[in-house]
Amino acid sequence: MADIQVLDKTFVPFISKEEICQRVAAIAAQINIDYAGKRPLMLGILNGSFIFAADLFRGLTIDAEISFIKLASYKGTSSTGHVVTAIGMEEDLHGRHIIIVEDIIDTGKTIHSFLPELKHRQPASIRIATFLAKPEALQHDVKADYTAFEIENKFVVGYGLDYDGFGRNLPDLYVLKG
Ligand code: 5GP
Ligand code: MG
C-alpha cells in the first residue's frame, strides 16, 4: 500500500482492511454470544462510526436493531460542565440493552459527557463498542467493552474517520506521516 494525500496532509498505511475485517468479525461473534436473546439496540454515534457500525451490524446473527444519533456538545454552566446532547434519539430506550458504537475513544470526553443523558432514559444495560481507542490520550473514566484496535496517540483517517471531512471513504486505516 502506498502513502496517500488527504487535503494538505500525507498519511501512511497503518491497518489494512483485511485486519479490520477480522477484528470486526471477532467482535460481532462475541456480541452474538453476549447478547443472544437480548435484542440489543446498537446506537451509532455519527458521523465517524457509520462504517464500523454497518460492518459490525452485518456480522450479527442475533435479533438486533440499529439507530444513529449525532452528539452536539456545548459548554454547560460551571456546575454541569461540558454537556453533550443527542440529536435524533427517538427510540424508547427504557429497558433496552444498548451498545454504543463509536469510531474512536480518544480523551473519552464525548462518551463520558453523553452517558448521563443515556442513563437518564433507563436502559437495561449500556456497553460500548469502539473501533479504535488511544489509551495514552484517555482523560476520563471510560472503558470500552469491545475494542477493535488500541493505537498510539497519533492522528488516523479512513474507515469512517475523517481529516476535515475527507478520508472517511478509505477502506484501510492510515496514520499521519511524520
Ligand atoms: P474523545 O476525545 O471525545 O474521546 O473523541 C472525540 C472525537 O475525536 C472522536 O469521536 C473522533 O471524531 C475525533 N478523533 C479523535 N482522535 C482522532 C483521530 O486520530 N482521527 C480522527 N479522524 N478523529 C479523531
Ligand atoms: Mg466521533
Side-chain angles (χ1 to χ4, degrees):
M1 288 201 299
D3 292 4
I4 52 138
Q5 191 77 16
V6 180
L7 302 176
D8 61 332
K9 298 211 187 313
T10 305
F11 291 84
V12 300
F14 184 34
I15 302 176
S16 73
K17 56 179 180 289
E18 289 80 13
E19 291 171 88
I20 293 172
C21 185
Q22 256 184 16
R23 283 296 301 144
V24 175
I27 292 175
Q30 191 59 52
I31 290 176
N32 283 329
I33 293 167
D34 296 348
Y35 285 87
K38 290 187 169 175
R39 299 191 173 217
L41 170 61
M42 278 180 34
L43 211 52
I45 311 297
L46 293 173
N47 292 326
S49 80
F50 78 111
I51 290 180
F52 174 50
D55 284 349
L56 188 59
F57 191 63
R58 262 187 300 204
L60 298 187
T61 51
I62 56 171
D63 283 349
E65 290 185 274
I66 187 165
S67 188
F68 290 90
I69 54 169
K70 266 208 163 189
L71 296 181
S73 100
Y74 56 94
K75 277 210 166 66
T77 63
S78 54
S79 61
T80 55
H82 182 82
V83 182
V84 160
T85 187
I87 301 169
M89 201 149 80
E90 269 130 40
E91 276 78 12
D92 181 7
L93 304 188
H94 189 267
R96 298 298 305 268
H97 294 281
I98 307 299
I99 305 171
I100 300 173
V101 183
E102 257 288 28
D103 53 354
I104 182 164
I105 297 179
D106 182 23
T107 64
K109 184 173 168 183
T110 309
I111 291 285
H112 181 78
S113 314
F114 171 56
L115 281 176
E117 176 174 349
L118 193 58
K119 285 179 182 159
H120 186 70
R121 291 168 188 253
Q122 300 183 294
S125 68
I126 302 171
R127 281 191 185 177
I128 302 167
T130 189
F131 172 52
L132 302 171
K134 292 180 179 172
E136 294 160 21
L138 199 63
Q139 290 174 18
H140 298 269
D141 184 22
V142 197
K143 180 116 178 62
D145 302 278
Y146 308 97
T147 304
F149 300 96
E150 288 193 343
I151 62 168
E152 280 177 73
N153 195 6
K154 289 183 178 167
F155 190 78
V156 294
V157 293
Y159 199 68
L161 290 105
D162 72 303
Y163 165 49
D164 224 359
F166 290 86
R168 293 192 198 276
N169 50 326
L170 295 162
D172 306 278
L173 193 72
Y174 292 80
V175 62
L176 186 62
K177 187 169 189 164

PDB file of all heavy atoms in Angstrom, residues 49-88:
ATOM      1  N   SER A  49     -18.751   6.793  13.123  1.00  0.00           N
ATOM      2  CA  SER A  49     -18.934   5.358  13.368  1.00  0.00           C
ATOM      3  C   SER A  49     -19.713   4.634  12.278  1.00  0.00           C
ATOM      4  O   SER A  49     -19.903   3.424  12.368  1.00  0.00           O
ATOM      5  CB  SER A  49     -19.667   5.146  14.699  1.00  0.00           C
ATOM      6  OG  SER A  49     -21.058   5.345  14.526  1.00  0.00           O
ATOM      7  N   PHE A  50     -20.166   5.342  11.245  1.00  0.00           N
ATOM      8  CA  PHE A  50     -21.156   4.710  10.373  1.00  0.00           C
ATOM      9  C   PHE A  50     -20.642   3.485   9.627  1.00  0.00           C
ATOM     10  O   PHE A  50     -21.387   2.533   9.406  1.00  0.00           O
ATOM     11  CB  PHE A  50     -21.792   5.729   9.410  1.00  0.00           C
ATOM     12  CG  PHE A  50     -20.962   6.124   8.224  1.00  0.00           C
ATOM     13  CD1 PHE A  50     -21.329   5.725   6.944  1.00  0.00           C
ATOM     14  CD2 PHE A  50     -19.829   6.905   8.374  1.00  0.00           C
ATOM     15  CE1 PHE A  50     -20.571   6.100   5.835  1.00  0.00           C
ATOM     16  CE2 PHE A  50     -19.069   7.279   7.276  1.00  0.00           C
ATOM     17  CZ  PHE A  50     -19.435   6.872   6.010  1.00  0.00           C
ATOM     18  N   ILE A  51     -19.369   3.470   9.265  1.00  0.00           N
ATOM     19  CA  ILE A  51     -18.844   2.313   8.523  1.00  0.00           C
ATOM     20  C   ILE A  51     -18.602   1.138   9.480  1.00  0.00           C
ATOM     21  O   ILE A  51     -19.016   0.011   9.216  1.00  0.00           O
ATOM     22  CB  ILE A  51     -17.579   2.699   7.742  1.00  0.00           C
ATOM     23  CG1 ILE A  51     -18.009   3.629   6.589  1.00  0.00           C
ATOM     24  CG2 ILE A  51     -16.845   1.465   7.223  1.00  0.00           C
ATOM     25  CD1 ILE A  51     -16.897   4.117   5.707  1.00  0.00           C
ATOM     26  N   PHE A  52     -17.976   1.413  10.599  1.00  0.00           N
ATOM     27  CA  PHE A  52     -17.767   0.373  11.622  1.00  0.00           C
ATOM     28  C   PHE A  52     -19.110  -0.203  12.066  1.00  0.00           C
ATOM     29  O   PHE A  52     -19.279  -1.423  12.158  1.00  0.00           O
ATOM     30  CB  PHE A  52     -17.008   0.979  12.806  1.00  0.00           C
ATOM     31  CG  PHE A  52     -16.849   0.071  13.993  1.00  0.00           C
ATOM     32  CD1 PHE A  52     -16.370  -1.226  13.851  1.00  0.00           C
ATOM     33  CD2 PHE A  52     -17.166   0.523  15.275  1.00  0.00           C
ATOM     34  CE1 PHE A  52     -16.213  -2.061  14.956  1.00  0.00           C
ATOM     35  CE2 PHE A  52     -17.014  -0.300  16.389  1.00  0.00           C
ATOM     36  CZ  PHE A  52     -16.543  -1.601  16.224  1.00  0.00           C
ATOM     37  N   ALA A  53     -20.077   0.686  12.318  1.00  0.00           N
ATOM     38  CA  ALA A  53     -21.397   0.231  12.778  1.00  0.00           C
ATOM     39  C   ALA A  53     -22.047  -0.678  11.738  1.00  0.00           C
ATOM     40  O   ALA A  53     -22.625  -1.714  12.075  1.00  0.00           O
ATOM     41  CB  ALA A  53     -22.290   1.426  13.089  1.00  0.00           C
ATOM     42  N   ALA A  54     -21.938  -0.301  10.473  1.00  0.00           N
ATOM     43  CA  ALA A  54     -22.551  -1.103   9.402  1.00  0.00           C
ATOM     44  C   ALA A  54     -21.910  -2.486   9.314  1.00  0.00           C
ATOM     45  O   ALA A  54     -22.605  -3.499   9.230  1.00  0.00           O
ATOM     46  CB  ALA A  54     -22.427  -0.375   8.065  1.00  0.00           C
ATOM     47  N   ASP A  55     -20.584  -2.526   9.366  1.00  0.00           N
ATOM     48  CA  ASP A  55     -19.890  -3.816   9.278  1.00  0.00           C
ATOM     49  C   ASP A  55     -20.170  -4.682  10.499  1.00  0.00           C
ATOM     50  O   ASP A  55     -20.390  -5.889  10.384  1.00  0.00           O
ATOM     51  CB  ASP A  55     -18.379  -3.596   9.134  1.00  0.00           C
ATOM     52  CG  ASP A  55     -18.000  -3.148   7.722  1.00  0.00           C
ATOM     53  OD1 ASP A  55     -18.870  -3.209   6.823  1.00  0.00           O
ATOM     54  OD2 ASP A  55     -16.848  -2.739   7.524  1.00  0.00           O
ATOM     55  N   LEU A  56     -20.165  -4.053  11.661  1.00  0.00           N
ATOM     56  CA  LEU A  56     -20.421  -4.787  12.907  1.00  0.00           C
ATOM     57  C   LEU A  56     -21.845  -5.350  12.898  1.00  0.00           C
ATOM     58  O   LEU A  56     -22.077  -6.518  13.225  1.00  0.00           O
ATOM     59  CB  LEU A  56     -20.225  -3.844  14.098  1.00  0.00           C
ATOM     60  CG  LEU A  56     -20.260  -4.435  15.488  1.00  0.00           C
ATOM     61  CD1 LEU A  56     -19.178  -5.499  15.662  1.00  0.00           C
ATOM     62  CD2 LEU A  56     -20.078  -3.333  16.542  1.00  0.00           C
ATOM     63  N   PHE A  57     -22.772  -4.525  12.487  1.00  0.00           N
ATOM     64  CA  PHE A  57     -24.185  -4.919  12.488  1.00  0.00           C
ATOM     65  C   PHE A  57     -24.433  -6.081  11.514  1.00  0.00           C
ATOM     66  O   PHE A  57     -25.195  -6.995  11.811  1.00  0.00           O
ATOM     67  CB  PHE A  57     -25.047  -3.706  12.110  1.00  0.00           C
ATOM     68  CG  PHE A  57     -26.516  -3.922  12.334  1.00  0.00           C
ATOM     69  CD1 PHE A  57     -27.017  -4.158  13.602  1.00  0.00           C
ATOM     70  CD2 PHE A  57     -27.401  -3.887  11.268  1.00  0.00           C
ATOM     71  CE1 PHE A  57     -28.370  -4.356  13.810  1.00  0.00           C
ATOM     72  CE2 PHE A  57     -28.766  -4.083  11.466  1.00  0.00           C
ATOM     73  CZ  PHE A  57     -29.249  -4.319  12.738  1.00  0.00           C
ATOM     74  N   ARG A  58     -23.761  -6.046  10.374  1.00  0.00           N
ATOM     75  CA  ARG A  58     -23.904  -7.137   9.393  1.00  0.00           C
ATOM     76  C   ARG A  58     -23.354  -8.446   9.919  1.00  0.00           C
ATOM     77  O   ARG A  58     -23.703  -9.510   9.445  1.00  0.00           O
ATOM     78  CB  ARG A  58     -23.171  -6.789   8.106  1.00  0.00           C
ATOM     79  CG  ARG A  58     -24.087  -6.236   7.057  1.00  0.00           C
ATOM     80  CD  ARG A  58     -23.338  -6.067   5.774  1.00  0.00           C
ATOM     81  NE  ARG A  58     -22.220  -5.141   5.978  1.00  0.00           N
ATOM     82  CZ  ARG A  58     -21.654  -4.444   5.029  1.00  0.00           C
ATOM     83  NH1 ARG A  58     -22.076  -4.584   3.787  1.00  0.00           N
ATOM     84  NH2 ARG A  58     -20.666  -3.618   5.284  1.00  0.00           N
ATOM     85  N   GLY A  59     -22.440  -8.351  10.889  1.00  0.00           N
ATOM     86  CA  GLY A  59     -21.857  -9.554  11.478  1.00  0.00           C
ATOM     87  C   GLY A  59     -22.732 -10.179  12.553  1.00  0.00           C
ATOM     88  O   GLY A  59     -22.432 -11.256  13.060  1.00  0.00           O
ATOM     89  N   LEU A  60     -23.817  -9.499  12.901  1.00  0.00           N
ATOM     90  CA  LEU A  60     -24.705 -10.038  13.940  1.00  0.00           C
ATOM     91  C   LEU A  60     -25.688 -11.036  13.323  1.00  0.00           C
ATOM     92  O   LEU A  60     -26.287 -10.769  12.292  1.00  0.00           O
ATOM     93  CB  LEU A  60     -25.474  -8.913  14.643  1.00  0.00           C
ATOM     94  CG  LEU A  60     -24.627  -7.874  15.388  1.00  0.00           C
ATOM     95  CD1 LEU A  60     -25.527  -6.923  16.172  1.00  0.00           C
ATOM     96  CD2 LEU A  60     -23.610  -8.530  16.318  1.00  0.00           C
ATOM     97  N   THR A  61     -25.818 -12.170  13.999  1.00  0.00           N
ATOM     98  CA  THR A  61     -26.765 -13.181  13.549  1.00  0.00           C
ATOM     99  C   THR A  61     -27.948 -13.267  14.509  1.00  0.00           C
ATOM    100  O   THR A  61     -28.908 -13.975  14.259  1.00  0.00           O
ATOM    101  CB  THR A  61     -26.077 -14.556  13.461  1.00  0.00           C
ATOM    102  OG1 THR A  61     -25.418 -14.799  14.711  1.00  0.00           O
ATOM    103  CG2 THR A  61     -25.052 -14.579  12.338  1.00  0.00           C
ATOM    104  N   ILE A  62     -27.860 -12.535  15.616  1.00  0.00           N
ATOM    105  CA  ILE A  62     -28.947 -12.491  16.592  1.00  0.00           C
ATOM    106  C   ILE A  62     -29.929 -11.389  16.203  1.00  0.00           C
ATOM    107  O   ILE A  62     -29.610 -10.540  15.376  1.00  0.00           O
ATOM    108  CB  ILE A  62     -28.399 -12.216  18.016  1.00  0.00           C
ATOM    109  CG1 ILE A  62     -27.570 -10.909  18.016  1.00  0.00           C
ATOM    110  CG2 ILE A  62     -27.566 -13.379  18.495  1.00  0.00           C
ATOM    111  CD1 ILE A  62     -27.166 -10.417  19.390  1.00  0.00           C
ATOM    112  N   ASP A  63     -31.105 -11.368  16.814  1.00  0.00           N
ATOM    113  CA  ASP A  63     -32.040 -10.265  16.608  1.00  0.00           C
ATOM    114  C   ASP A  63     -31.428  -9.006  17.210  1.00  0.00           C
ATOM    115  O   ASP A  63     -31.038  -9.007  18.381  1.00  0.00           O
ATOM    116  CB  ASP A  63     -33.376 -10.533  17.325  1.00  0.00           C
ATOM    117  CG  ASP A  63     -34.238 -11.516  16.567  1.00  0.00           C
ATOM    118  OD1 ASP A  63     -33.902 -11.822  15.397  1.00  0.00           O
ATOM    119  OD2 ASP A  63     -35.244 -11.979  17.130  1.00  0.00           O
ATOM    120  N   ALA A  64     -31.347  -7.964  16.412  1.00  0.00           N
ATOM    121  CA  ALA A  64     -30.749  -6.715  16.902  1.00  0.00           C
ATOM    122  C   ALA A  64     -31.273  -5.552  16.079  1.00  0.00           C
ATOM    123  O   ALA A  64     -31.666  -5.720  14.924  1.00  0.00           O
ATOM    124  CB  ALA A  64     -29.229  -6.785  16.799  1.00  0.00           C
ATOM    125  N   GLU A  65     -31.273  -4.369  16.701  1.00  0.00           N
ATOM    126  CA  GLU A  65     -31.682  -3.159  15.994  1.00  0.00           C
ATOM    127  C   GLU A  65     -30.510  -2.187  15.949  1.00  0.00           C
ATOM    128  O   GLU A  65     -29.579  -2.282  16.753  1.00  0.00           O
ATOM    129  CB  GLU A  65     -32.850  -2.491  16.718  1.00  0.00           C
ATOM    130  CG  GLU A  65     -34.154  -3.256  16.624  1.00  0.00           C
ATOM    131  CD  GLU A  65     -35.279  -2.465  17.263  1.00  0.00           C
ATOM    132  OE1 GLU A  65     -35.449  -2.585  18.498  1.00  0.00           O
ATOM    133  OE2 GLU A  65     -35.960  -1.719  16.551  1.00  0.00           O
ATOM    134  N   ILE A  66     -30.608  -1.256  15.034  1.00  0.00           N
ATOM    135  CA  ILE A  66     -29.563  -0.228  14.955  1.00  0.00           C
ATOM    136  C   ILE A  66     -30.208   1.131  14.736  1.00  0.00           C
ATOM    137  O   ILE A  66     -31.243   1.251  14.066  1.00  0.00           O
ATOM    138  CB  ILE A  66     -28.538  -0.527  13.839  1.00  0.00           C
ATOM    139  CG1 ILE A  66     -27.368   0.472  13.895  1.00  0.00           C
ATOM    140  CG2 ILE A  66     -29.200  -0.528  12.471  1.00  0.00           C
ATOM    141  CD1 ILE A  66     -26.149   0.037  13.086  1.00  0.00           C
ATOM    142  N   SER A  67     -29.630   2.140  15.360  1.00  0.00           N
ATOM    143  CA  SER A  67     -30.084   3.501  15.165  1.00  0.00           C
ATOM    144  C   SER A  67     -28.854   4.399  15.278  1.00  0.00           C
ATOM    145  O   SER A  67     -27.832   3.979  15.821  1.00  0.00           O
ATOM    146  CB  SER A  67     -31.127   3.851  16.231  1.00  0.00           C
ATOM    147  OG  SER A  67     -31.705   5.099  15.937  1.00  0.00           O
ATOM    148  N   PHE A  68     -28.957   5.606  14.757  1.00  0.00           N
ATOM    149  CA  PHE A  68     -27.818   6.520  14.780  1.00  0.00           C
ATOM    150  C   PHE A  68     -28.207   7.842  15.416  1.00  0.00           C
ATOM    151  O   PHE A  68     -29.327   8.318  15.242  1.00  0.00           O
ATOM    152  CB  PHE A  68     -27.303   6.773  13.363  1.00  0.00           C
ATOM    153  CG  PHE A  68     -26.626   5.584  12.756  1.00  0.00           C
ATOM    154  CD1 PHE A  68     -27.350   4.644  12.023  1.00  0.00           C
ATOM    155  CD2 PHE A  68     -25.264   5.390  12.933  1.00  0.00           C
ATOM    156  CE1 PHE A  68     -26.726   3.532  11.472  1.00  0.00           C
ATOM    157  CE2 PHE A  68     -24.633   4.289  12.385  1.00  0.00           C
ATOM    158  CZ  PHE A  68     -25.363   3.359  11.650  1.00  0.00           C
ATOM    159  N   ILE A  69     -27.275   8.421  16.129  1.00  0.00           N
ATOM    160  CA  ILE A  69     -27.500   9.752  16.697  1.00  0.00           C
ATOM    161  C   ILE A  69     -26.288  10.634  16.441  1.00  0.00           C
ATOM    162  O   ILE A  69     -25.192  10.139  16.205  1.00  0.00           O
ATOM    163  CB  ILE A  69     -27.750   9.707  18.222  1.00  0.00           C
ATOM    164  CG1 ILE A  69     -26.615   8.973  18.938  1.00  0.00           C
ATOM    165  CG2 ILE A  69     -29.091   9.079  18.528  1.00  0.00           C
ATOM    166  CD1 ILE A  69     -26.668   9.114  20.440  1.00  0.00           C
ATOM    167  N   LYS A  70     -26.533  11.919  16.493  1.00  0.00           N
ATOM    168  CA  LYS A  70     -25.443  12.890  16.450  1.00  0.00           C
ATOM    169  C   LYS A  70     -25.313  13.471  17.838  1.00  0.00           C
ATOM    170  O   LYS A  70     -26.314  13.655  18.528  1.00  0.00           O
ATOM    171  CB  LYS A  70     -25.778  14.007  15.463  1.00  0.00           C
ATOM    172  CG  LYS A  70     -25.229  13.773  14.099  1.00  0.00           C
ATOM    173  CD  LYS A  70     -24.966  15.071  13.364  1.00  0.00           C
ATOM    174  CE  LYS A  70     -24.052  14.746  12.210  1.00  0.00           C
ATOM    175  NZ  LYS A  70     -23.500  15.827  11.498  1.00  0.00           N
ATOM    176  N   LEU A  71     -24.108  13.769  18.250  1.00  0.00           N
ATOM    177  CA  LEU A  71     -23.923  14.404  19.543  1.00  0.00           C
ATOM    178  C   LEU A  71     -23.507  15.846  19.325  1.00  0.00           C
ATOM    179  O   LEU A  71     -22.558  16.119  18.595  1.00  0.00           O
ATOM    180  CB  LEU A  71     -22.861  13.668  20.360  1.00  0.00           C
ATOM    181  CG  LEU A  71     -23.192  12.228  20.743  1.00  0.00           C
ATOM    182  CD1 LEU A  71     -22.064  11.624  21.577  1.00  0.00           C
ATOM    183  CD2 LEU A  71     -24.501  12.144  21.523  1.00  0.00           C
ATOM    184  N   ALA A  72     -24.263  16.733  19.929  1.00  0.00           N
ATOM    185  CA  ALA A  72     -23.904  18.146  19.873  1.00  0.00           C
ATOM    186  C   ALA A  72     -23.352  18.516  21.230  1.00  0.00           C
ATOM    187  O   ALA A  72     -23.957  18.221  22.260  1.00  0.00           O
ATOM    188  CB  ALA A  72     -25.131  18.984  19.552  1.00  0.00           C
ATOM    189  N   SER A  73     -22.188  19.140  21.254  1.00  0.00           N
ATOM    190  CA  SER A  73     -21.588  19.451  22.543  1.00  0.00           C
ATOM    191  C   SER A  73     -21.564  20.958  22.760  1.00  0.00           C
ATOM    192  O   SER A  73     -21.377  21.737  21.848  1.00  0.00           O
ATOM    193  CB  SER A  73     -20.201  18.826  22.624  1.00  0.00           C
ATOM    194  OG  SER A  73     -19.210  19.759  22.373  1.00  0.00           O
ATOM    195  N   TYR A  74     -21.827  21.341  23.959  1.00  0.00           N
ATOM    196  CA  TYR A  74     -21.778  22.760  24.298  1.00  0.00           C
ATOM    197  C   TYR A  74     -21.311  22.895  25.741  1.00  0.00           C
ATOM    198  O   TYR A  74     -21.320  21.928  26.506  1.00  0.00           O
ATOM    199  CB  TYR A  74     -23.141  23.427  24.112  1.00  0.00           C
ATOM    200  CG  TYR A  74     -24.267  22.787  24.883  1.00  0.00           C
ATOM    201  CD1 TYR A  74     -24.620  23.261  26.138  1.00  0.00           C
ATOM    202  CD2 TYR A  74     -24.980  21.705  24.362  1.00  0.00           C
ATOM    203  CE1 TYR A  74     -25.648  22.679  26.853  1.00  0.00           C
ATOM    204  CE2 TYR A  74     -26.006  21.113  25.067  1.00  0.00           C
ATOM    205  CZ  TYR A  74     -26.347  21.607  26.304  1.00  0.00           C
ATOM    206  OH  TYR A  74     -27.350  21.015  27.015  1.00  0.00           O
ATOM    207  N   LYS A  75     -20.902  24.085  26.099  1.00  0.00           N
ATOM    208  CA  LYS A  75     -20.467  24.328  27.472  1.00  0.00           C
ATOM    209  C   LYS A  75     -21.686  24.570  28.344  1.00  0.00           C
ATOM    210  O   LYS A  75     -22.463  25.484  28.087  1.00  0.00           O
ATOM    211  CB  LYS A  75     -19.552  25.547  27.523  1.00  0.00           C
ATOM    212  CG  LYS A  75     -18.127  25.243  27.165  1.00  0.00           C
ATOM    213  CD  LYS A  75     -17.179  26.193  27.903  1.00  0.00           C
ATOM    214  CE  LYS A  75     -15.743  25.715  27.832  1.00  0.00           C
ATOM    215  NZ  LYS A  75     -15.217  25.742  26.462  1.00  0.00           N
ATOM    216  N   GLY A  76     -21.866  23.763  29.355  1.00  0.00           N
ATOM    217  CA  GLY A  76     -22.977  23.971  30.271  1.00  0.00           C
ATOM    218  C   GLY A  76     -22.607  25.043  31.285  1.00  0.00           C
ATOM    219  O   GLY A  76     -21.662  25.793  31.090  1.00  0.00           O
ATOM    220  N   THR A  77     -23.338  25.104  32.366  1.00  0.00           N
ATOM    221  CA  THR A  77     -22.982  26.032  33.435  1.00  0.00           C
ATOM    222  C   THR A  77     -21.738  25.498  34.124  1.00  0.00           C
ATOM    223  O   THR A  77     -21.324  24.372  33.868  1.00  0.00           O
ATOM    224  CB  THR A  77     -24.117  26.112  34.469  1.00  0.00           C
ATOM    225  OG1 THR A  77     -24.256  24.823  35.058  1.00  0.00           O
ATOM    226  CG2 THR A  77     -25.421  26.521  33.831  1.00  0.00           C
ATOM    227  N   SER A  78     -21.154  26.277  35.005  1.00  0.00           N
ATOM    228  CA  SER A  78     -19.941  25.804  35.665  1.00  0.00           C
ATOM    229  C   SER A  78     -20.201  24.551  36.500  1.00  0.00           C
ATOM    230  O   SER A  78     -19.312  23.740  36.706  1.00  0.00           O
ATOM    231  CB  SER A  78     -19.352  26.902  36.533  1.00  0.00           C
ATOM    232  OG  SER A  78     -20.330  27.386  37.425  1.00  0.00           O
ATOM    233  N   SER A  79     -21.445  24.365  36.933  1.00  0.00           N
ATOM    234  CA  SER A  79     -21.746  23.173  37.736  1.00  0.00           C
ATOM    235  C   SER A  79     -21.976  21.940  36.852  1.00  0.00           C
ATOM    236  O   SER A  79     -21.622  20.833  37.219  1.00  0.00           O
ATOM    237  CB  SER A  79     -22.964  23.407  38.624  1.00  0.00           C
ATOM    238  OG  SER A  79     -24.098  23.679  37.840  1.00  0.00           O
ATOM    239  N   THR A  80     -22.546  22.145  35.668  1.00  0.00           N
ATOM    240  CA  THR A  80     -22.797  20.990  34.803  1.00  0.00           C
ATOM    241  C   THR A  80     -21.582  20.663  33.942  1.00  0.00           C
ATOM    242  O   THR A  80     -21.449  19.554  33.451  1.00  0.00           O
ATOM    243  CB  THR A  80     -24.012  21.214  33.875  1.00  0.00           C
ATOM    244  OG1 THR A  80     -23.803  22.423  33.139  1.00  0.00           O
ATOM    245  CG2 THR A  80     -25.304  21.310  34.657  1.00  0.00           C
ATOM    246  N   GLY A  81     -20.693  21.655  33.737  1.00  0.00           N
ATOM    247  CA  GLY A  81     -19.503  21.417  32.930  1.00  0.00           C
ATOM    248  C   GLY A  81     -19.834  21.197  31.466  1.00  0.00           C
ATOM    249  O   GLY A  81     -20.799  21.745  30.956  1.00  0.00           O
ATOM    250  N   HIS A  82     -19.033  20.360  30.829  1.00  0.00           N
ATOM    251  CA  HIS A  82     -19.214  20.061  29.410  1.00  0.00           C
ATOM    252  C   HIS A  82     -20.467  19.191  29.233  1.00  0.00           C
ATOM    253  O   HIS A  82     -20.614  18.166  29.879  1.00  0.00           O
ATOM    254  CB  HIS A  82     -17.974  19.324  28.916  1.00  0.00           C
ATOM    255  CG  HIS A  82     -18.014  19.002  27.473  1.00  0.00           C
ATOM    256  ND1 HIS A  82     -17.690  19.908  26.495  1.00  0.00           N
ATOM    257  CD2 HIS A  82     -18.356  17.863  26.832  1.00  0.00           C
ATOM    258  CE1 HIS A  82     -17.816  19.341  25.313  1.00  0.00           C
ATOM    259  NE2 HIS A  82     -18.205  18.105  25.495  1.00  0.00           N
ATOM    260  N   VAL A  83     -21.357  19.625  28.363  1.00  0.00           N
ATOM    261  CA  VAL A  83     -22.607  18.888  28.174  1.00  0.00           C
ATOM    262  C   VAL A  83     -22.706  18.398  26.738  1.00  0.00           C
ATOM    263  O   VAL A  83     -22.346  19.103  25.806  1.00  0.00           O
ATOM    264  CB  VAL A  83     -23.824  19.795  28.477  1.00  0.00           C
ATOM    265  CG1 VAL A  83     -25.126  19.007  28.320  1.00  0.00           C
ATOM    266  CG2 VAL A  83     -23.731  20.360  29.877  1.00  0.00           C
ATOM    267  N   VAL A  84     -23.153  17.178  26.591  1.00  0.00           N
ATOM    268  CA  VAL A  84     -23.365  16.626  25.263  1.00  0.00           C
ATOM    269  C   VAL A  84     -24.816  16.207  25.160  1.00  0.00           C
ATOM    270  O   VAL A  84     -25.341  15.541  26.039  1.00  0.00           O
ATOM    271  CB  VAL A  84     -22.435  15.413  25.020  1.00  0.00           C
ATOM    272  CG1 VAL A  84     -22.953  14.560  23.890  1.00  0.00           C
ATOM    273  CG2 VAL A  84     -21.033  15.890  24.705  1.00  0.00           C
ATOM    274  N   THR A  85     -25.475  16.664  24.097  1.00  0.00           N
ATOM    275  CA  THR A  85     -26.860  16.272  23.928  1.00  0.00           C
ATOM    276  C   THR A  85     -27.043  15.503  22.624  1.00  0.00           C
ATOM    277  O   THR A  85     -26.357  15.767  21.638  1.00  0.00           O
ATOM    278  CB  THR A  85     -27.791  17.511  24.006  1.00  0.00           C
ATOM    279  OG1 THR A  85     -29.134  17.065  24.000  1.00  0.00           O
ATOM    280  CG2 THR A  85     -27.573  18.453  22.856  1.00  0.00           C
ATOM    281  N   ALA A  86     -27.925  14.522  22.656  1.00  0.00           N
ATOM    282  CA  ALA A  86     -28.117  13.646  21.497  1.00  0.00           C
ATOM    283  C   ALA A  86     -29.182  14.203  20.575  1.00  0.00           C
ATOM    284  O   ALA A  86     -30.254  14.595  21.020  1.00  0.00           O
ATOM    285  CB  ALA A  86     -28.502  12.256  21.971  1.00  0.00           C
ATOM    286  N   ILE A  87     -28.862  14.223  19.288  1.00  0.00           N
ATOM    287  CA  ILE A  87     -29.827  14.661  18.290  1.00  0.00           C
ATOM    288  C   ILE A  87     -30.297  13.432  17.530  1.00  0.00           C
ATOM    289  O   ILE A  87     -29.483  12.638  17.057  1.00  0.00           O
ATOM    290  CB  ILE A  87     -29.182  15.659  17.304  1.00  0.00           C
ATOM    291  CG1 ILE A  87     -28.662  16.876  18.072  1.00  0.00           C
ATOM    292  CG2 ILE A  87     -30.164  16.070  16.212  1.00  0.00           C
ATOM    293  CD1 ILE A  87     -27.781  17.773  17.248  1.00  0.00           C
ATOM    294  N   GLY A  88     -31.615  13.275  17.439  1.00  0.00           N
ATOM    295  CA  GLY A  88     -32.170  12.168  16.660  1.00  0.00           C
ATOM    296  C   GLY A  88     -32.404  10.905  17.457  1.00  0.00           C
ATOM    297  O   GLY A  88     -32.566   9.831  16.903  1.00  0.00           O
TER     298      GLY A  88
END
